[in-house]
Amino acid sequence: MKKSIMFLLVALFAGCSPYHVKTDYNPEVDFSAYKSFNWIKPKPNSRKSKPYQTLHEQRIKAAIAKEFTTKGYKFADTDKPDLLLAFHIATLNKLDVTHFGYRPGRWGYRGPGYTTVHKYKEGTFILDIVDPVEKVMIWRGAVSGIVLNQNSDDNDIAEIVKKLLEKYPPDLE
């Protein structure tokens, strides 16, 4: 009985996490062979390229670099790193509509009720890791349910990146 209550509490609190992390990787890759990383550079004429990096992008890159160096990787200033990294952020506007079939009244609850509408953004933060020699993605992680926006502070970004990279590299778990 005691174990089942503890399991329910753990399941309840695990379900309350604001993040949903999903990872995928190539199981045939030896992740211990990689020692350095750098960023994928956008093509000069692509829509995504711009002549500067925003402060938000700098904060995200710094958080990712910190996690990688904590795991023993070195940032490679050369053109030949062992890994190339890229991140993407996607957002979607959502509505949460709740209808209550009752409303508070003078003598208790009565109809016809009311509806509340709450607008919010649902986001997904994606990190891709590519083997530059083979030119293939070897790992992808995504954190959804959150939005990293211009108002995200360094602590929010660091927490999300840490959660995403908790199980990286996969073969050293």
Side-chain angles (χ1 to χ4, degrees):
M1 177 70 174
K2 210 177 218 186
K3 285 184 183 180
S4 63
I5 291 173
M6 190 60 125
F7 175 74
L8 287 174
L9 286 174
V10 169
L12 176 68
F13 287 116
C16 294
S17 173
Y19 314 119
H20 175 73
V21 178
K22 185 176 180 191
T23 60
D24 192 13
Y25 64 94
N26 182 344
E28 295 175 10
V29 171
D30 178 15
F31 286 87
S32 65
Y34 301 109
K35 305 293 180 207
S36 64
F37 70 96
N38 202 331
W39 301 99
I40 292 177
K41 295 178 182 31
K43 294 178 182 168
N45 294 331
S46 76
R47 286 185 310 139
K48 292 183 181 182
S49 72
K50 55 185 176 250
Y52 62 90
Q53 217 178 84
T54 67
L55 293 171
H56 187 59
E57 291 169 335
Q58 291 172 39
R59 288 181 184 111
I60 293 170
K61 282 186 172 185
I64 294 169
K66 181 181 178 187
E67 281 300 311
F68 265 81
T69 54
T70 301
K71 292 177 180 286
Y73 293 88
K74 300 221 183 297
F75 183 79
D77 287 329
T78 67
D79 289 337
K80 299 204 186 267
D82 296 336
L83 297 171
L84 289 174
L85 311 178
F87 69 88
H88 322 279
I89 299 173
T91 60
L92 185 61
N93 291 322
K94 294 271 197 150
L95 287 177
D96 179 26
V97 180
T98 306
H99 177 70
F100 298 94
Y102 54 86
R103 63 182 169 86
R106 182 177 236 171
W107 293 282
Y109 291 94
R110 59 176 79 207
Y114 62 97
T115 302
T116 62
V117 178
H118 173 70
K119 294 180 184 178
Y120 66 98
K121 282 189 184 258
E122 184 176 273
T124 303
F125 172 70
I126 300 166
L127 177 64
D128 292 334
I129 301 177
V130 175
D131 182 317
V133 175
E134 300 292 325
K135 295 187 178 4
V136 294
M137 184 185 306
I138 59 169
W139 188 90
R140 172 174 264 190
V143 181
S144 60
I146 48 89
V147 176
L148 283 176
N149 58 36
Q150 302 303 326
N151 299 326
S152 299
D153 66 10
D154 292 345
N155 293 333
D156 292 339
I157 293 169
E159 180 184 345
I160 291 164
V161 168
K162 186 176 184 108
K163 189 80 169 164
L164 177 63
L165 291 171
E166 248 176 14
K167 295 181 180 177
Y168 181 85
D171 60 334
L172 301 177
E173 294 176 349

